[in-house]
């Protein structure tokens, strides 16, 4: 492409093709339904006639003389035996027929009305005005004309015209044939067309009834030759064959005076074929099928929907130099890396231009061939193709590698296989934010999957239950530079969404760091050393001796991965709700995580410290030490977590939720109590003694009262259960540290599931006056309205199970509705914003240079660099400076 | 009942007419041609309110809008009056 705009669209006009025009643009009148003769040569005046273009090499176009790639293709045409309706215009045809007189063809308006409307319509020019305005106006006029049953001009009485979807019109139950429709349309006067929004120059209404059908160029419907040598025609060709056959039979039947019934049947059949030729998903008729039973893809199907021309071929295209496979985790990779299977690496290439400086290295590379390995049989990047300066590609094989390497000269290009350290783009759909596509450096690994550090799951929103991801190999230096400088994972740790880290510890990181630091455990030296062997360290933690045995302390081990000079004090998640002393910590000072000069002295590391979205430590390291140090911290944290957990062990199971019989009995008691209290509330209500709370009806008051009662018992039962589930319980550890699940989930399993709700209220729909047929009508009791007193552990009874499913469905419906709606909203936003840019002076402009915002975001602040949306955290900086080591 | 002046509502940012003689200065400061500025319809309630004070505003008048901003204190935006009706 040479840049610059060569042509500008001045205007677009939509028009109807007239039969004359169709014939005029046609190069051949197609009369036989056959395609090729026995020798495989296109039959003259058949559907593959050479006048409509060529698809076979060696043949020449009979119209323009061009060969395969030169001929643009030309239209042909079919003369239909009888006119048929064009489905695409069915709405317009209906309006035209409804609004005009069937005998005189005038619009059913009085002369006065015509005069006044004409004045108004002529005021707005058809070609320059807003189509919406014209449409609205014409709709009003035609509706008025349609509502009149007697023609004001000739007095003809009209009965209602009914459209029998998709293409049949009936008047008093009698079919109006397309031929008759066409005649009626012909009678409509030119000067009255403007009431329908039609331009008489280019759109006569009778052209909406087809008498001639254009046959698209062969280029649009090429036949393919199967491996068996059998020829397979395009779906459009199949459809055109049907149309010609039926049209022929119809012509014969009509000409030799067959019974009217047979003619009508054939005519209907022709209408069916022409309709499905345009749109094979027309409502009201069965789709035309291939012999194999597959529905044919006809004109509309080629364009419409996700798989259509627009969304699949124009807005989005398949790309080269990309790979897709299943993903799996690998904690020993850095967040900046991606593991690529050897099989993929051999196929994916980077172009290397040969110059005088690298020619020797490149020759060596080529000499390795396409299946290079080193002495220890490990992967080495080879070369798949070499490209001569004239663009000719030479395939490199193990046999010709040596020889080809000698041919390579400066000016040539070599397609080198992927190698360790290459920067690539890694992506997971749906790509909802910029962190959905990040730059990674390549590590070549065995096996079949892409692998990456678990901390990167969050920005991609990936898990490993079968998710697949895409990899794109960058082909240009500029793009590689951009990928390294702005797209690399470590550069994307801070999210522009909330000005905090989006990459950070997840499940196991948090559990491990929690266990490592909570209560500052003593770790025997040998165990500690094993854990530390997972890390790359320059120093060892201090040793403490107790009873002659040597120990490391958990917080000291964690401190090893913190950068020197980090000063930080914040409340841990564990103690976030504590006032004076935290109930989970022995030392009151441990309510806060205190880090001085990179040494953790107090507190417990949990979600608030290292989690993605919230991690304070990650946030501060990034701001003070930059992307690289942060990436290193996360990498070390992942490894330390694996090291720690694999030696300590950590698992969860159903026994986590065992609580004593007495507690179960107590929960049973309070839930029965709640049911009873609900019963009482309902009784007071029935007696009419319930006092409505201000601004509410009695019914609402009752519902709110009951909800608060049932809500209370659930909390209560949760408390009872948690009393027996302490911080030595794995599930509780995960919930309290923020690694996974909430305490609520634990109380649902051990205590009680509680009140189910739909749209914030108790369940109330289903059968007449009751949720299920097991209850009396109008039963407002707890059980009848979705109170589940069982726990997941004890199991739900059938009624409870139903209630729970009703409540659960709301969530599913919400998700289904939300994703599709937000997806469409996002699409619209992206389309609106896609070519806006922020210029050097932070001004937001569109492509013309028109201002959208005078300063990006009106304040010029990059939210990525903001502190959770605020400009600066003064308290932190004060603390940091206070503890700065001189 | 007194007619509501939308400009006095706390959610409506302050709108001011830029005087003809100051237009050049403003445009120079912004370093931009007038036709590239964002527009505001003459039918906009804020413009109608301004017209009550200043009399009819002709197309091309620059309006200065000062919005409250949590990070900046306030931020300034400019629009040009147009007779176009936006949908
Ligand atoms: Mg998944
Ligand atoms: Zn041709
Ligand atoms: Zn008439």
């Amino acid at each position: 492409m040479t840049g610059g705009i060569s042509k500008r669209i001045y205007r677009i006009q939509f028009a109807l093709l007239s039969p004359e025009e169709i014939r005029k643009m046609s190069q051949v009148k197609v009369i036989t339904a056959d395609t090729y003769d026995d020798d495989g040569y296109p039959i003259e005046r058949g559907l593959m006639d050479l006048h409509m273009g060529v698809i076979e090499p060696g043949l020449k176009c009979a119209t323009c003389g061009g060969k395969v790639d030169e001929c643009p293709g030309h239209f042909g045409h079919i003369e239909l035996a009888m006119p048929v309706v064009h489905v695409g215009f069915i709405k317009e045809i209906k309006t035209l027929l409804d609004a005009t007189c069937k005998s005189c063809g005038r619009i059913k308006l009085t002369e006065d009305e015509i005069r006044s409307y004409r004045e108004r319509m002529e005021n707005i020019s058809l070609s320059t005005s807003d189509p919406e305005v014209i449409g609205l106006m014409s709709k009003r006029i035609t509706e008025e004309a349609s509502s009149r049953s007697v023609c004001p001009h000739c007095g003809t009485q009209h009965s209602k015209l009914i459209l029998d979807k998709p293409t049949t019109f009936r008047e008093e139950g009698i079919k109006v044939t397309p031929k008759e429709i066409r005649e009626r349309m012909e009678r409509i006067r030119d000067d009255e067309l403007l009431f329908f929004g039609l331009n008489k120059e280019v759109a006569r209404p009778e052209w909406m009834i087809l008498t001639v059908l254009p046959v698209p160029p062969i280029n649009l419907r090429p036949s393919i030759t199967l491996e068996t040598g059998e020829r397979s025609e395009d779906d459009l060709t199949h459809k055109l064959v049907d149309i010609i056959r039926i049209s022929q039979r119809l012509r014969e039947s009509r000409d030799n005076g067959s019974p009217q019934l047979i003619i009508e049947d054939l005519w209907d059949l022709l209408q069916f074929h022409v309709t499905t030729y345009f749109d094979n998903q027309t409502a009201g008729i069965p789709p035309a099928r291939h012999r194999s039973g597959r529905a044919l893809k006809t004109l509309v199907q080629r364009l419409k929907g996700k798989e259509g021309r627009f969304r699949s071929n124009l807005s989005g295209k398949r790309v080269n130099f990309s790979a897709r496979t299943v993903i799996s985790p690998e904690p020993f990779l850095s967040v900046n890396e991606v593991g690529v299977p050897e099989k993929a690496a051999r196929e994916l290439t980077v172009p290397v231009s040969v110059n005088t400086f690298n020619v020797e290295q490149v020759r060596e590379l080529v000499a390795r061939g396409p299946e290079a390995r080193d002495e220890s049989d490990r992967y080495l990047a080879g070369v798949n193709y070499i490209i001569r300066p004239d663009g000719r590609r030479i395939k490199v094989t193990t046999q010709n590698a040596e020889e080809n390497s000698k041919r390579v000269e400066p000016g040539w290009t070599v397609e080198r296989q992927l190698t360790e350290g290459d920067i690539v783009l890694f992506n997971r759909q749906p790509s909802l934010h910029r962190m959905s596509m990040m730059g990674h450096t390549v590590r070549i690994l065995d096996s079949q999957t892409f692998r990456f550090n678990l901390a990167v799951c969050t920005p991609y929103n990936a898990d490993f239950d079968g998710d697949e991801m895409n990899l794109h190999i960058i082909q240009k230096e500029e793009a590689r530079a951009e990928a390294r400088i702005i797209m690399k994972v470590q550069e994307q740790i801070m999210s522009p969404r909330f000005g905090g880290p989006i990459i950070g510890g997840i499940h196991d990181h948090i559990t491990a760091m929690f266990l490592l630091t909570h209560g500052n455990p003593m770790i025997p030296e040998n165990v500690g050393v094993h854990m530390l062997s997972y890390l790359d360290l320059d120093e060892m933690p201090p040793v403490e001796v107790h009873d002659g045995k040597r120990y490391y302390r958990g917080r000291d081990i964690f401190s090893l991965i913190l950068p020197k000079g980090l000063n930080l004090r914040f409340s841990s998640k564990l103690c976030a709700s504590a006032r004076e002393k935290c109930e989970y910590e022995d030392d009151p000072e441990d309510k806060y995580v205190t880090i001085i000069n990179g040494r953790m002295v107090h507190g417990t590391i949990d979600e608030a410290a290292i989690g993605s979205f919230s991690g304070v430590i990650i946030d501060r390291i990034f701001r003070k030490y930059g992307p690289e140090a942060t990436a290193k911290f996360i990498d070390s944290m992942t490894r330390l977590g694996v090291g720690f957990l694999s030696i300590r062990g950590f698992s969860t199971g159903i026994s986590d939720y065992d609580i004593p019989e007495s507690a179960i009995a107590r929960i049973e008691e309070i839930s029965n109590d709640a049911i009873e209290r609900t019963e009482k509330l309902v009784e007071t209500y029935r007696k009419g003694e319930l006092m409505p709370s201000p601004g509410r009806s009695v019914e609402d008051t009752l519902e709110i009262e009951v909800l608060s009662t049932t809500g209370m018992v659930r909390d209560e039962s949760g408390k009872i259960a948690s009393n027996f589930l302490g911080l030595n319980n794995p599930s509780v550890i995960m919930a309290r540290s923020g690694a996974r699940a909430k305490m609520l989930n634990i109380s649902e399993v051990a205590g009680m599931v509680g009140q189910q709700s739909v749209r914030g209220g108790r369940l109330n729909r289903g059968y007449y006056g009751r949720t299920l047929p097991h209850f009396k009508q109008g039963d407002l009791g707890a059980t009848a309205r979705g109170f589940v007193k069982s726990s997941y552990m004890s199991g739900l009874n059938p009624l409870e199970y139903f209630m729970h499913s009703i409540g659960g469905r709301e969530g599913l419906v919400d998700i289904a509705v939300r994703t599709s709606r937000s997806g469409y909203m996002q699409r619209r936003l992206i389309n609106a914003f896609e070519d806006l840019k922020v210029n050097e002076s932070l001004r937001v402009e569109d492509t013309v240079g028109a201002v959208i915002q005078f300063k990006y975001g009106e304040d010029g602040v990059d939210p990525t660099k903001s502190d959770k949306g605020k400009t600066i955290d003064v308290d932190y900086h004060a603390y940091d400076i206070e503890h700065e080591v001189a | 009942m007194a007619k509501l002046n939308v400009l006095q509502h706390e959610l409506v940012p302050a709108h001011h007419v830029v005087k003809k003689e100051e237009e050049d200065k403003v445009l120079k400061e912004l370093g931009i041609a007038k036709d590239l500025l964002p527009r505001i319809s003459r039918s906009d309630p804020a413009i109608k309110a301004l017209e009550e004070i200043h009399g009819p505003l002709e197309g091309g008048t620059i309006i200065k809008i000062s919005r409250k901003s949590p990070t900046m204190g306030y931020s300034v935006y400019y629009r040009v009056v147009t007779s176009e009706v936006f949908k």
Side-chain angles (χ1 to χ4, degrees), chain A residues 140-330:
Chain A
R140 261 220 329 268
I141 299 170
T142 50
E143 263 168 17
E144 197 177 329
S146 306
S147 61
R148 198 161 278 158
S149 58
V150 182
C151 171
H153 306 282
C154 68
T156 309
Q157 184 77 34
H158 289 80
S159 53
K160 209 162 158 40
L161 190 76
I162 290 158
L163 172 60
D164 206 352
K165 287 262 168 74
T167 49
T168 318
F169 287 97
R170 282 179 212 286
E171 224 169 34
E172 289 170 330
I174 302 155
K175 201 181 148 188
V176 187
T177 63
K179 190 163 168 255
E180 200 182 333
I181 297 172
R182 198 165 199 279
E183 281 159 8
R184 288 192 196 177
M185 303 275 231
E186 278 166 355
R187 282 195 287 270
I188 300 175
R189 285 163 48 162
D190 263 355
D191 64 344
E192 282 176 4
L193 283 181
L194 88 165
F195 298 122
F196 301 93
L198 295 179
N199 175 352
K200 61 176 192 277
E201 311 291 330
V202 296
R204 276 297 310 176
E206 64 268 24
W207 300 342
M208 297 178 189
I209 312 295
L210 298 164
T211 51
V212 185
L213 191 70
V215 178
I218 295 171
N219 314 47
L220 263 64
R221 43 184 181 92
S223 48
I224 41 168
T225 319
L226 299 173
E227 277 162 40
T228 54
E230 213 181 333
R231 217 191 270 273
S232 173
E233 295 302 333
D234 190 272
D235 283 2
L236 283 188
T237 310
H238 279 301
K239 212 61 239 182
L240 289 165
V241 167
D242 292 339
I243 292 170
I244 296 175
R245 285 227 178 96
I246 299 306
S247 182
Q248 258 167 1
R249 274 177 54 195
L250 181 58
R251 184 173 292 120
E252 282 158 20
S253 307
R254 186 196 56 198
D255 291 350
N256 60 28
S258 298
Q260 192 58 30
L261 218 62
I262 288 175
I263 291 177
E264 256 171 46
D265 275 359
L266 282 171
W267 199 352
D268 284 345
L269 195 55
L270 182 66
Q271 177 71 63
F272 166 80
H273 284 311
V274 173
T275 302
T276 50
Y277 168 70
F278 286 114
D279 182 359
N280 202 16
Q281 280 170 340
T282 316
I285 50 167
R289 287 178 194 284
H290 200 251
R291 260 170 314 192
S292 63
R294 167 181 69 85
L296 294 172
K297 267 190 120 189
T298 51
L299 289 174
V300 168
Q301 278 67 50
R302 283 193 177 194
L303 309 177
K304 218 170 78 181
K306 219 178 204 156
E307 264 97 65
R309 201 87 326 142
F310 294 99
R311 285 179 70 182
S312 170
N313 303 109
L314 290 160
S315 304
K317 294 190 170 93
R318 280 174 182 273
V319 288
N320 287 327
F321 307 104
S322 70
R324 179 186 175 92
T325 186
V326 176
I327 52 167
S328 41
E330 177 52 80

Side-chain angles (χ1 to χ4, degrees), chain A residues 400-630:
Chain A
N400 70 16
E402 194 65 48
E403 182 192 329
N404 270 326
S405 74
K406 290 178 193 125
R407 300 168 62 188
V408 175
E409 292 295 336
W412 289 44
T413 306
V414 160
E415 289 197 332
R416 190 207 74 210
Q417 291 169 357
L418 209 58
T419 190
E420 302 232 333
D422 277 336
I423 188 139
V424 296
L425 299 186
F426 200 38
N427 160 239
R428 180 180 178 275
Q429 284 108 347
S431 313
L432 296 177
H433 54 195
R434 70 181 192 199
M435 293 79 76
S436 289
M437 187 177 249
M438 295 190 286
H440 291 249
T441 51
V442 168
R443 294 288 298 272
I444 311 288
L445 300 180
D446 281 346
S447 193
Q448 312 275 320
T449 57
F450 289 139
R451 266 145 293 170
F452 55 86
N453 189 295
L454 293 121
V456 198
C457 288
T458 329
Y460 288 125
N461 192 21
D463 50 36
F464 303 106
D465 59 3
D467 290 25
E468 293 180 42
M469 283 179 69
N470 302 326
L471 189 80
H472 297 269
I473 312 307
I474 305 171
Q475 301 290 307
K476 285 260 159 58
E477 283 305 340
E478 294 92 324
R480 269 192 287 274
E482 283 198 348
R484 264 184 218 285
I485 297 165
I486 59 186
M487 292 185 80
K488 209 172 171 192
V489 175
Q490 63 181 39
E491 308 298 332
Q492 297 292 333
I493 290 171
M494 285 296 181
S495 167
R497 197 168 81 207
F498 49 81
I502 194 168
I503 297 171
I506 55 169
H507 317 158
D508 272 13
H509 302 125
I510 295 172
T511 309
M513 296 307 122
F514 180 88
L515 292 169
L516 187 63
T517 54
H518 182 60
N520 204 12
M522 302 220 286
I523 293 162
E525 191 183 30
N526 60 333
V527 176
V529 166
H530 180 90
M531 274 158 46
L532 294 176
S533 72
Y534 282 75
L535 293 170
D536 178 20
L537 294 170
D538 306 323
E539 54 172 338
M540 293 299 278
V543 176
E544 280 180 23
V545 182
H546 290 273
D547 301 333
K549 285 188 190 128
R550 293 162 64 83
Y551 293 96
Y552 294 130
R553 298 304 293 264
R555 285 174 193 156
D556 291 335
I557 292 181
F558 180 74
S559 299
L560 290 176
I561 63 171
L562 289 172
K564 296 283 152 291
L566 184 72
N567 301 302
L568 205 50
R569 186 177 153 89
F570 61 92
S571 175
S572 63
K573 178 191 155 74
L574 185 69
C575 304
S577 53
R579 291 235 182 102
E580 290 296 305
K581 187 189 167 298
C582 176
E583 55 173 315
Y584 303 106
E585 305 280 10
D586 296 331
D587 185 347
E589 258 306 299
D590 282 343
K591 180 171 174 333
Y592 296 100
V593 177
T594 309
I595 296 167
I596 290 165
N597 190 23
R599 183 146 185 259
M600 181 190 174
V601 285
H602 284 295
T604 301
I605 298 297
D606 56 21
E607 195 190 7
I610 56 161
S612 42
F613 299 111
S614 55
V616 180
I617 294 181
I618 295 176
D619 186 278
R620 292 305 161 197
I621 293 180
F622 191 91
R623 283 173 211 279
K624 192 165 177 180
Y625 302 91
E628 207 169 314
T630 319

